[in-house]
Amino acid sequence: MKPIEVSVAEARRIAVRSQLLDGSAAGLLETVRRLGFLQIDPISSVAPPQYLVPWSRLGFYDRAELDRLLWEERKLVEWRAFIYPIEDLPLLQAHMRLLPTTNGKAFLKENASFKRYVLRELEQRGPLLSREIATHTSRKDADRHEWWGARQMGLMLEVLAGQGQVAVVGRRQGQRVWDLAERWYPPTETISWKDAEAQIADKRWRSLGVKLERGRLLAHPDAVDGPVRNRVTFLSPFDRLVHDRARTEALWDFYYRLEMYVPKAKRVHGYYVLPILRGDRLVGRIEPVWNRRTRELAVNGTWWEDGVEPVSLTRPLRELSRWLAST
């Protein structure tokens, strides 16, 4: 498919519309399907990104629905700290067949009996938390296999999940529950990595609408331009609209970096700052913080871009607070 070179103004509108940030999002499942995936991260000054990203598009929604779609209806699947539509599983499995990497192969070879132990435990006792596998050993076994510690258990599960032998099948208090992949993943067609890679690239370009390539803004051939209403919302630092920092600067002249790992005295803005999107423009940034004890939303600071006239944030803050309080 031949890309279409577009202007900055066109690229902004296309990017916002493609990411469903124009107010057109209608349902959590369809939103995830359109975006392609949600990134999982434990940082939750406001809410973890797997929940906050849909909120930016849908507004108020039931966070428990994401868990239902994952663990009950199985219309979504978790793999390597991302959530995907289940129909993308054949593409993921094509990637799984390429894994593990050289280091992972060496780890599995060195710890072959450990691998057999983990798979046997899951087969006989799964689903299990990682600590439930790690502690279910005799003292004699523990002495013989010194690498059966918490870190090694986590590494083994990650490597086995990467290559599709085990799968995340649930969560308990945020902790992953593991089982054999063959008991969790539905039967799928087999796709070569070459075909899968092409499909994955097209899906991601389609969801972004526009990609930056050698200084040119290239729209997906199926991207649709059009007006974007002046809807105000806040974006997670992991939101795909701003995830590519170079593209973000090219489209909006918006320099954005997370400063959570920067010493407080050297921060330009704040610890966990969210971009403010108004219509098809990034107009500023804000640092809201949700207090889980008092159930209150505070704002540590707001910063507007040069030349931008501040807009009222009362409504999005009220909507954010109401949604957070509902969980």
Side-chain angles (χ1 to χ4, degrees), residues 97-118:
R97 289 192 290 273
L98 298 179
L99 299 173
T101 59
T102 301
N103 288 340
K105 289 177 181 177
F107 175 76
L108 291 178
K109 183 178 180 180
E110 180 181 350
N111 299 299
S113 59
F114 181 27
K115 171 185 172 180
R116 290 193 297 271
Y117 165 77
V118 171

Side-chain angles (χ1 to χ4, degrees), residues 190-238:
T190 300
I191 300 177
S192 71
W193 172 240
K194 181 179 179 180
D195 290 341
E197 189 175 30
Q199 289 186 49
I200 291 169
D202 181 70
K203 282 175 172 284
R204 292 191 178 178
W205 184 16
R206 188 184 297 270
S207 73
L208 291 172
V210 175
K211 63 181 179 180
L212 175 65
E213 190 173 285
R214 297 179 182 178
R216 302 167 65 206
L217 295 170
L218 303 177
H220 190 280
D222 295 336
V224 178
D225 189 8
V228 177
R229 64 186 180 89
N230 287 328
R231 175 177 177 266
V232 179
T233 193
F234 310 131
L235 305 179
S236 163
F238 297 87

Side-chain angles (χ1 to χ4, degrees), residues 3 8 14 34 40 91 102 118 120 133 147 155 240 259 262 265 276 313 326:
V8 171
I14 290 171
R34 178 68 172 269
I40 299 172
L91 306 180
T102 301
V118 171
R120 185 172 62 251
I133 308 171
W147 29 259
L155 178 57
R240 305 316 285 186
E259 297 182 292
V262 176
I276 303 171
L313 301 179
S326 70

Side-chain angles (χ1 to χ4, degrees), residues 256-311:
Y256 179 59
R257 299 291 186 275
L258 269 177
E259 297 182 292
M260 66 178 71
Y261 302 117
V262 176
K264 186 174 182 180
K266 295 184 178 181
R267 290 176 191 153
V268 177
H269 300 104
Y271 174 81
Y272 199 75
V273 171
L274 312 183
I276 303 171
L277 179 71
R278 180 177 185 266
D280 63 355
R281 299 296 180 95
L282 292 172
V283 296
R285 56 200 88 199
I286 187 170
E287 187 181 14
V289 178
W290 177 246
N291 188 315
R292 285 160 184 76
R293 183 179 59 82
T294 64
R295 315 293 289 173
E296 294 178 336
L297 184 67
V299 176
N300 287 348
T302 305
W303 302 264
W304 300 101
E305 291 295 281
D306 292 340
V308 169
E309 183 176 346
V311 299

Side-chain angles (χ1 to χ4, degrees), residues 114-128 132-137 148 153 178-180 183:
F114 181 27
K115 171 185 172 180
R116 290 193 297 271
Y117 165 77
V118 171
L119 293 176
R120 185 172 62 251
E121 282 290 283
L122 289 176
E123 179 182 14
Q124 296 176 355
R125 302 175 54 240
L128 298 168
E132 293 173 329
I133 308 171
T135 57
H136 190 71
T137 60
W148 284 6
M153 178 60 69
W178 303 89
D179 203 354
L180 297 179
R183 292 203 292 232

